[in-house]
Amino acid sequence: MTQTGYESRSLLRIARAGEQGPADRDIAEECPVALEYQGIGYAVLMATPADLVDLAYGFSLSERLIDRAEQILDVDSFRAEKGFILRIQLAPEVAGRITDRVRHRASDSSCGLCGIENLEQALRPLPQVSQPCLAEDAACFAALAALPKHQVLNHATGSAHAAAACSADGEPWLVREDVGRHNAFDKLIGAMARAGRGWNSGFALLSSRCSYELVEKAALANCPMLATISAPTTLAIDRAAGARLRLRVLVRSDALLAAHP
């Protein structure tokens, strides 16, 4: 495992006409990342091992284990035999949330749903987005055009999602990548929280479909507008409307869809 999030592997290229030959290619890394809070195992994510401290902060916010970055006292990230372990210490005022909600689980995304049996808990009320969005729809097209130059991992591997914080005029100013769309967004949210940066009337652009989990992460991060390259689900549209989150989906170079204009 590297610090870049990818490594070179030797593959066999097979052409349509039948010719074969060696092909070296950079491949995105994916490995188990275990999160422990107060010494208690909470979740195992399959993630790209880069920007893991950002992931710890963003995941904690998305899981509602903390309300602000200052409630994480320390994150100890270290490599284990088969992956990484993030040991997170919470401030006393929120430490009790772990014992209330701990569930031992292994999942392939930070969806926040795995293992929850109570439907009301699965669809807990979301806060209303309070930050204004000054971005016009033209900003979504500008951000989409600018995003590829910020996708270092995806440029190398072709297999990573990106989450970008964009200014109101559509300029991506912070980008995080991961093989998992949830992880990429958590990394972005965590990086912003650690730096004390807000959305400044801008928006988030994700290189993925718009699932309800991503809508919930956006609302919990008080993101004024969420734009995604692929289509939404019905639950994503409904949850966004309930949180007063502006939603733009299927953002392509020639058009986009406003989920609830």
Side-chain angles (χ1 to χ4, degrees):
M1 290 174 285
T2 69
Q3 296 299 316
T4 61
Y6 63 91
E7 62 182 38
S8 180
R9 293 289 180 90
S10 295
L11 305 176
L12 178 66
R13 182 181 184 275
I14 303 174
R16 182 173 183 176
E19 298 91 345
Q20 298 185 8
D24 291 336
R25 184 177 177 87
D26 290 330
I27 305 295
E29 292 185 274
E30 184 177 28
C31 69
V33 178
L35 291 92
E36 298 179 357
Y37 293 86
Q38 318 300 94
I40 301 173
Y42 186 84
V44 178
L45 312 180
M46 299 304 297
T48 300
D51 302 309
L52 290 181
V53 176
D54 290 339
L55 177 62
Y57 275 78
F59 181 86
S60 301
L61 287 163
S62 296
E63 285 285 292
R64 310 190 202 198
L65 298 174
I66 61 172
D67 303 312
R68 56 187 184 278
E70 295 76 15
Q71 290 172 324
I72 288 184
L73 303 181
D74 184 56
V75 178
D76 183 17
S77 172
F78 66 94
R79 184 176 300 179
E81 181 180 356
K82 296 183 179 180
F84 283 82
I85 298 176
L86 299 177
R87 289 181 173 160
I88 304 160
Q89 291 296 319
L90 301 181
E93 67 266 24
V94 293
R97 297 181 187 182
I98 293 298
T99 54
D100 291 338
R101 294 190 52 220
V102 67
R103 54 190 184 275
H104 296 285
R105 61 182 173 88
S107 67
D108 59 2
S109 68
S110 57
C111 61
L113 179 61
C114 309
I116 297 178
E117 298 178 355
N118 186 293
L119 295 180
E120 287 74 20
Q121 186 179 4
L123 297 176
R124 288 170 288 170
L126 291 173
Q128 300 281 292
V129 173
S130 60
Q131 287 199 20
C133 181
L134 300 182
E136 302 290 341
D137 289 332
C140 293
F141 299 119
L144 178 68
L147 183 60
K149 67 182 180 182
H150 298 278
Q151 294 179 266
V152 178
L153 179 59
N154 191 61
H155 178 73
T157 67
S159 60
H161 280 295
C166 305
S167 64
D169 60 2
E171 178 61 33
W173 57 268
L174 182 64
V175 177
R176 288 291 183 266
E177 295 181 274
D178 197 279
V179 292
R181 63 188 188 275
H182 308 93
N183 300 332
F185 201 15
D186 275 339
K187 287 179 178 180
L188 176 67
I189 292 169
M192 293 176 64
R194 293 178 65 201
R197 296 288 300 270
W199 296 98
N200 296 324
S201 302
F203 61 99
L205 174 64
L206 310 182
S207 65
S208 66
R209 68 180 175 89
C210 184
S211 55
Y212 92 95
E213 315 99 294
L214 299 176
V215 165
E216 294 197 346
K217 292 178 188 296
L220 290 167
N222 205 20
C223 177
M225 181 171 76
L226 177 63
T228 67
I229 291 176
S230 293
T233 65
T234 55
L235 185 56
I237 293 175
D238 294 344
R239 295 289 273 173
R244 298 182 183 271
L245 170 67
R246 189 190 298 187
L247 202 60
R248 297 295 183 263
V249 297
L250 277 173
V251 179
R252 305 298 168 84
S253 60
D254 58 340
L256 58 76
L257 297 179
H260 39 81

